[in-house]
Amino acid sequence: MTKILLLSDTHSYIDDTILKYVHQADEVWHAGDIGDLSVTDTIKKEKPLKAVYGNIDSNEARLEFSLNNRFMCEGVDVWITHIGGYPGKYNQAVREELNLNPPKLFICGHSHILKVQFDKKLGLLHMNPGAAGISGFHQVRTMLRFEIEGEKIQNLEVIEIGKR
């Protein structure tokens, strides 16, 4: 079993509350708009990190992280990208590949809107953890926590980490 902390849109912000949840996870996944790389450097000192760059990220971040990160976690095919859309409204840049070869778990950030939705047509679970940072229009900072055991995605929790 792997305990995952999923966050996005930190926009250069990390605090002790985020780090408390980092410590409880086996892995941390970041869906882009990292901002200052001190955020991911801090996380990497504590736990394994899988991340992608977002539209606000620097060339330095784009050298360290890719636009898309597709990998297996236990028995689950995972695809993380920053601007991916959501079921019925996928971004044009990912739509064709999603239709041809859908993962079991599709993760994106960008919107600052927390959303977890099953796509019946493609048979995948879509997750957007909202925004963990303090920049943007969101009112409440959010992350997601869940477990992967074999081929099962289970024990999903929404973490509200305070007002922006």
Side-chain angles (χ1 to χ4, degrees):
M1 179 180 62
T2 307
K3 295 177 184 176
I4 308 299
L5 177 66
L6 174 61
L7 66 159
S8 187
D9 296 275
T10 48
H11 292 263
S12 303
Y13 185 80
I14 190 162
D15 63 11
D16 289 340
T17 303
I18 293 171
L19 288 172
K20 175 181 90 171
Y21 289 100
V22 166
H23 292 128
Q24 296 171 9
D26 295 322
E27 294 183 7
V28 178
W29 299 352
H30 195 302
D33 277 4
I34 297 159
D36 192 295
L37 287 180
S38 64
V39 170
T40 48
D41 290 345
T42 300
I43 293 169
K44 285 190 297 188
K45 287 177 188 170
E46 304 299 327
K47 298 292 176 164
L49 172 70
K50 291 182 171 64
V52 296
Y53 70 78
N55 56 295
I56 65 114
D57 288 318
S58 67
N59 287 336
E60 185 182 11
R62 291 166 193 245
L63 289 171
E64 184 169 347
F65 302 107
S66 60
L67 174 63
N68 296 291
N69 190 352
R70 191 155 184 180
F71 57 92
M72 293 296 292
C73 179
E74 298 200 22
V76 175
D77 180 5
V78 180
W79 180 358
I80 304 175
T81 194
H82 183 60
I83 302 175
Y86 54 90
K89 300 265 185 186
Y90 291 116
N91 185 283
Q92 185 176 352
V94 299
R95 192 177 306 137
E96 184 177 351
E97 180 65 21
L98 274 176
N99 284 312
L100 291 173
N101 186 19
K104 184 166 184 171
L105 178 57
F106 181 63
I107 295 169
C108 60
H110 185 62
S111 70
H112 292 220
I113 299 169
L114 186 144
K115 182 179 282 202
V116 177
Q117 182 177 356
F118 188 73
D119 183 331
K120 292 178 187 173
K121 180 181 172 196
L122 296 180
L124 64 81
L125 182 61
H126 166 269
M127 289 185 187
N128 183 324
I134 57 173
S135 298
F137 68 88
H138 58 284
Q139 297 300 306
V140 177
R141 299 166 45 227
T142 57
M143 303 184 293
L144 292 172
R145 177 166 62 177
F146 57 95
E147 299 168 351
I148 294 180
E149 185 168 7
E151 296 182 0
K152 291 190 289 185
I153 302 163
Q154 59 191 21
N155 297 324
L156 175 66
E157 297 176 72
V158 172
I159 300 169
E160 292 187 352
I161 48 176
K163 299 261 186 217
R164 180 177 57 84

